[in-house]
Amino acid sequence: MEEELKCPVCGSLFREPIILPCSHNVCLPCARTIAVQTPESEQHLPALLHPRGPAPPAAASGPGPGPGAAAGAAASLDAECAAGGGDHADKLSLHSETDSGYGSYTPGLKSPNGVRVLPLVPAPPGAAAAAPPRGGGAASSSLTCPQCHRSASLDQRGLRGFQRNRLLEAIVQRYQQGRAAAAAKCQLCDRSPPEPAAVLCEQCEVLYCAACQLRCHPARGPFAKHRLAPPPAPPGAPGGGGEAGGKGAGGGRKGPTCAEHDLENYSMYCVSCRSPVCYQCLEDGRHGKHDVKALGAMWKQHKAQLSQALNGVSDKAKEAKEFLVQLKNLLQQIQENGLDYEACLVAQCDALVDALTRQKAKLLTKVTKEREHKLKVVWDQINHCTLKLRQSTGLMEYCLEVIKENDPSGFLQISDALIKRVQVSQEQWVKGALEPKVSAEFDLTLDSEPLLHSIHQLDFIQMKFPVTVPPVPLLQLEKCCTRNNSVTLAWRMPPLSHNPVEGYILELDDGDGGQFREVYVGKETLCTIDGLHFNSTYNARVKAFNSSGVGPYSKTVVLQTSDVAWFTFDPSSAHRDIVLSNDNQTATCNSYDDRVVLGTATFSKGVHYWELHVDRYDNHPDPAFGIARINVVKDMMLGKDDKAWAMYVDNNRSWFMHCNSHTNRTEGGVSKGATVGVLLDLNKHNLTFYINGQQQGPPAFENVEGVFMPALSLNRNVQVTLHTGLEVPQNVKQPKLPSN
């Protein structure tokens, strides 16, 4: 991550970073050094650099251009700004060629990163008088980004018109503190290297790690009154001695205020301008026709986008690490196979007559060239992939640090650019980038039985691999998952596999440790199996096949389905008069007749419980609650056919109904605000109902077996909301006895 925290000009960690319009960052002192004057006012350049006279001696008498030149120039300009020349120094501009539209500059210094910076030159006599007035004249101010070389015009505020990247500044400070803390080592450790120090005893003046503190400095006896403090940071580190630590040792960071209105805090975010704004900015009318949203909402939205984009880069980084391991193994295989081929070739050639000697040397040369070519290609891939992996890893760590920040406005200043960078980083891992360009096998073989007159025509012939059964597929565990009573499995073939694959066979057991059965046969490498048992453990495996036969099984993966069911009403199977809302969790009807709607879950095993809340209850209708098979009749009350088991209820009492048979009348009806619970116990094969937590009679139905779906029938006078994912009720009220 350290590379993300370095200025592209000076090569050091950022100091007072500012955000350029291209979304790149640069230190404020470095921004002053890389700015130059435009042609129409180039004669004022020395005056702008030194508005109060000749250059200071420290800037004029140095050892010459070098890595510290940019820092010296920045220090000189900082001193002049403090003396009153900061306004002019901020307006230093870039030489822009009017015919090309690209910025160019002719400096004489180079930073550690290869970016050229402007050399400070002494101002000629009278230069201060020749300087253009503030905000006027022919001086056209601009600045070129040292990374993308895009030019940006400066307004009358100069460099101060660019926003300060407070988020990056905080991350740099935290990074320096972490690095400084890691430098303090225990002074009593026997280990090599010593453990990091955890405390400093101010009386003993000794640094202890946690283990040595307990062993050598217990908090009792004469040590009980010793004062233990955190280990000190070294000089120059944040929080330590010196200038660098003095600034960060103060109080907490001040909340961000508007750049235009110092007394106003950022409260909104202008989507059109991609910038946080305050209430006064909105009152001024500058963003009147812009799309303005709440700062906190946009902060969370952009954080979510960045996190989602990071997932793709994280997956690619993981694959890249695995790919590097494969490439290194490939190197060893190439070396071993190359040596084997050479030994075989030498043995065959030594068995031939002297006439084969010259031809043997030629053949050895071919093998060596082939091996060197393969090695070169693999090493090039390793270097290229390592570079991309390091860049992606650094970007990931930097983005994760950015996400940890709680400064919405600072985050939104850079979030768009980071999201784009992450997306670009992910796109760099194009298809085929993580596949070896060469094989470890040498497609060469030697025919040692030609006639003597054909010796001079002896050459390698291409070796054709015989078609055999496919190798073992590799299960991608990071993509295998469960949801409710469905499981999703993903797999792939191992790299460097030469045998063709015509399809795959996925097998699953019965959830009770029984025999495997085929659940999918096809060419896809991703499969979802629905309709499994809840709260069950399934074993899955996959194998590949081709014209030569079926390959071996993969490793077995164990998948656990959900303990409780989460489901909604199913709009695809509901009667056309049913009206669903609230993400298909609330149901009502357009008709005065009863209509049926089913749930999206299917049950064949286990214990399941769900509730329905009565949102509206007018004119004493008779809604029915229960379970049904998929082919239940949907244009009449639930329970009137032999495909449903239900309890229908009015405002005073309830009845159980199946095959249009009414039984077990029980006191207790429903009204607006009532809750009806349905308990389906397929282990005991019975169905029980509750109203407001009170059980309605004994279990409604016995010997309930098969595959069922939650079901409901209602008319337009009723509206109910479904609640799922509930635990089975343990303590219930005793049912009321039926009245005579």
Side-chain angles (χ1 to χ4, degrees):
M1 184 180 69
E2 185 173 350
E3 294 183 4
E4 295 285 339
L5 306 180
K6 288 185 178 180
C7 173
V9 177
C10 63
S12 302
L13 295 178
F14 280 107
R15 299 171 296 153
E16 301 179 76
I18 59 175
I19 306 176
L20 302 180
C22 58
S23 300
H24 290 127
N25 298 280
V26 68
C27 297
L28 179 59
C30 296
R32 299 188 183 115
T33 64
I34 63 174
V36 294
Q37 194 70 7
T38 51
E40 55 267 26
S41 56
E42 194 165 351
Q43 65 272 18
H44 304 300
L45 177 59
L48 286 175
L49 284 170
H50 305 286
R52 292 188 176 271
S61 59
S76 174
L77 285 173
D78 286 342
E80 292 179 4
C81 290
D87 292 341
H88 297 290
D90 281 354
K91 296 177 186 176
L92 296 179
S93 59
L94 181 68
H95 183 292
S96 298
E97 299 178 0
T98 56
D99 57 338
S100 67
Y102 287 93
S104 62
Y105 43 94
T106 56
L109 302 180
K110 272 193 175 182
S111 72
N113 285 8
V115 179
R116 293 186 177 273
V117 299
L118 179 69
L120 296 181
V121 295
R134 181 175 179 178
S140 176
S141 301
S142 60
L143 182 70
T144 293
C145 173
Q147 289 184 278
C148 64
H149 306 295
R150 290 174 57 183
S151 297
S153 299
L154 306 181
D155 56 16
Q156 64 273 13
R157 296 174 297 172
L159 293 176
R160 292 179 302 176
F162 296 123
Q163 294 182 347
R164 184 87 163 264
N165 195 338
R166 298 184 305 276
L167 202 65
L168 176 58
E169 197 168 1
I171 293 175
V172 170
Q173 183 178 2
R174 189 164 63 244
Y175 176 77
Q176 289 176 323
Q177 290 173 346
R179 190 168 58 178
K185 301 294 184 180
C186 177
Q187 294 176 294
L188 296 180
C189 262
D190 296 332
R191 303 177 184 177
S192 181
E195 292 290 326
V199 294
L200 167 68
C201 177
E202 295 183 349
Q203 282 71 25
C204 303
E205 296 185 354
V206 175
L207 290 167
Y208 298 94
C209 66
C212 292
Q213 178 196 348
L214 295 175
R215 184 176 69 253
C216 305
H217 199 288
R220 62 180 182 271
F223 297 113
K225 296 182 179 180
H226 286 202
R227 182 179 176 183
L228 301 179
E243 285 185 29
K247 187 175 181 180
R253 285 160 48 196
K254 184 181 177 182
T257 58
C258 179
E260 300 290 337
H261 310 93
D262 294 338
L263 300 180
E264 296 288 343
N265 290 329
Y266 289 122
S267 58
M268 303 296 289
Y269 181 77
C270 179
V271 180
S272 304
C273 300
R274 296 184 177 181
S275 174
V277 295
C278 69
Y279 175 77
Q280 191 64 38
C281 292
L282 299 180
E283 289 292 324
D284 293 344
R286 195 179 315 169
H287 305 275
K289 296 183 179 180
H290 293 180
D291 184 11
V292 179
K293 296 185 178 180
L295 186 66
M298 291 301 296
W299 176 41
K300 292 180 180 178
Q301 178 182 339
H302 281 227
K303 270 197 173 184
Q305 291 177 2
L306 180 58
S307 299
Q308 185 176 3
L310 277 177
N311 290 336
V313 178
S314 177
D315 293 340
K316 292 299 180 182
K318 187 183 299 183
E319 293 181 13
K321 291 180 180 179
E322 297 176 356
F323 181 59
L324 284 175
V325 174
Q326 297 173 12
L327 289 179
K328 291 178 181 178
N329 293 335
L330 183 62
L331 283 175
Q332 184 178 359
Q333 293 175 14
I334 291 176
Q335 291 281 11
E336 294 175 355
N337 292 344
L339 294 174
D340 291 343
Y341 273 97
E342 285 185 2
C344 180
L345 179 61
V346 171
Q348 290 178 340
C349 290
D350 287 344
L352 298 176
V353 292
D354 296 339
L356 295 176
T357 303
R358 293 183 181 179
Q359 195 67 23
K360 178 179 69 174
K362 294 180 181 180
L363 297 176
L364 281 173
T365 302
K366 286 189 177 183
V367 173
T368 303
K369 287 183 178 180
E370 180 70 9
R371 183 187 67 198
E372 291 176 351
H373 170 71
K374 288 178 178 287
L375 293 174
K376 182 179 181 301
V377 171
V378 175
W379 272 117
D380 290 344
Q381 271 195 286
I382 289 178
N383 295 334
H384 182 68
C385 186
T386 302
L387 177 61
K388 282 190 175 181
L389 177 60
R390 185 180 64 184
Q391 294 173 348
S392 298
T393 304
L395 180 59
M396 287 168 51
E397 294 177 352
Y398 172 60
C399 291
L400 290 175
E401 290 296 328
V402 170
I403 291 176
K404 293 178 183 177
E405 286 297 309
N406 295 322
D407 182 2
S409 59
F411 179 83
L412 292 173
Q413 287 177 339
I414 63 174
S415 58
D416 284 321
L418 282 181
I419 293 171
K420 289 181 181 178
R421 287 185 62 191
V422 171
Q423 292 172 346
V424 170
S425 177
Q426 183 177 358
E427 292 171 358
Q428 288 179 352
W429 300 97
V430 295
K431 184 177 180 181
L434 299 181
E435 296 179 359
K437 294 182 179 180
V438 296
S439 169
E441 301 295 333
F442 282 62
D443 301 341
L444 308 168
T445 188
L446 183 65
D447 185 0
S448 59
E449 298 180 356
L451 296 175
L452 184 61
H453 67 274
S454 301
I455 289 179
H456 294 289
Q457 299 177 357
L458 184 65
D459 202 348
F460 291 107
I461 61 175
Q462 185 176 5
M463 181 175 65
K464 296 182 179 179
F465 292 98
V467 178
T468 59
V469 297
V472 179
L474 302 178
L475 286 168
Q476 296 181 279
L477 300 181
E478 67 278 5
K479 296 182 180 180
C480 298
C481 61
T482 62
R483 184 179 184 275
N484 266 348
N485 60 336
S486 65
V487 298
T488 299
L489 296 108
W491 60 89
R492 62 180 176 86
M493 295 304 294
L496 309 179
S497 175
H498 302 285
N499 297 322
V501 175
E502 297 180 4
Y504 303 92
I505 300 173
L506 177 63
E507 296 183 357
L508 202 70
D509 69 359
D510 59 359
D512 284 329
Q515 293 184 349
F516 284 90
R517 66 186 189 280
E518 293 184 4
V519 294
Y520 171 76
V521 178
K523 296 182 179 181
E524 299 296 330
T525 58
L526 181 71
C527 181
T528 298
I529 302 100
D530 299 316
L532 303 177
H533 299 312
F534 284 91
N535 195 22
S536 299
T537 302
Y538 286 89
N539 296 290
R541 62 187 184 184
V542 65
K543 58 184 177 181
F545 64 87
N546 59 16
S547 58
S548 297
V550 179
Y553 284 107
S554 67
K555 293 182 179 179
T556 301
V557 61
V558 180
L559 299 166
Q560 173 74 38
T561 54
S562 300
D563 294 338
V564 294
W566 298 84
F567 58 92
T568 62
F569 291 119
D570 185 10
S572 62
S573 63
H575 192 278
R576 61 179 178 273
D577 291 336
I578 293 293
V579 178
L580 300 179
S581 59
N582 188 26
D583 294 331
N584 297 329
Q585 292 178 326
T586 299
T588 186
C589 184
N590 285 331
S591 173
Y592 285 106
D593 297 323
D594 290 310
R595 301 296 187 230
V596 173
V597 58
L598 302 178
T600 55
T602 56
F603 304 124
S604 60
K605 177 184 175 183
V607 182
H608 310 282
Y609 177 75
W610 62 95
E611 292 180 349
L612 300 106
H613 183 268
V614 180
D615 303 327
R616 180 169 50 82
Y617 187 81
D618 303 327
N619 302 324
H620 308 299
D622 299 328
F625 311 87
I627 59 174
R629 302 196 190 278
I630 186 64
N631 56 345
V632 65
V633 178
K634 298 184 177 66
D635 57 358
M636 61 183 182
M637 180 183 288
L638 192 68
K640 286 194 173 184
D641 63 354
D642 62 347
K643 302 296 190 298
W645 293 256
M647 175 189 73
Y648 74 94
V649 58
D650 60 15
N651 60 324
N652 291 320
R653 59 189 66 83
S654 64
W655 295 264
F656 300 158
M657 185 164 63
H658 174 62
C659 291
N660 204 22
S661 174
H662 307 250
T663 59
N664 292 81
R665 188 183 76 170
T666 306
E667 294 297 325
V670 297
S671 60
K672 180 180 178 181
T675 299
V676 177
V678 182
L679 176 60
L680 175 61
D681 189 344
L682 291 173
N683 295 335
K684 297 181 179 179
H685 307 290
N686 58 37
L687 180 64
T688 308
F689 297 97
Y690 303 87
I691 296 180
N692 295 328
Q694 177 175 291
Q695 182 176 332
Q696 295 300 104
F701 303 101
E702 303 290 344
N703 301 322
V704 178
E705 296 183 3
V707 179
F708 303 97
M709 305 175 72
L712 164 72
S713 69
L714 73 172
N715 63 16
R716 65 182 304 165
N717 291 319
V718 185
Q719 177 176 302
V720 299
T721 296
L722 177 65
H723 298 278
T724 62
L726 305 177
E727 296 291 339
V728 175
Q730 301 297 327
N731 299 319
V732 298
K733 300 178 183 179
Q734 293 299 321
K736 294 181 180 180
L737 295 176
S739 59
N740 295 328

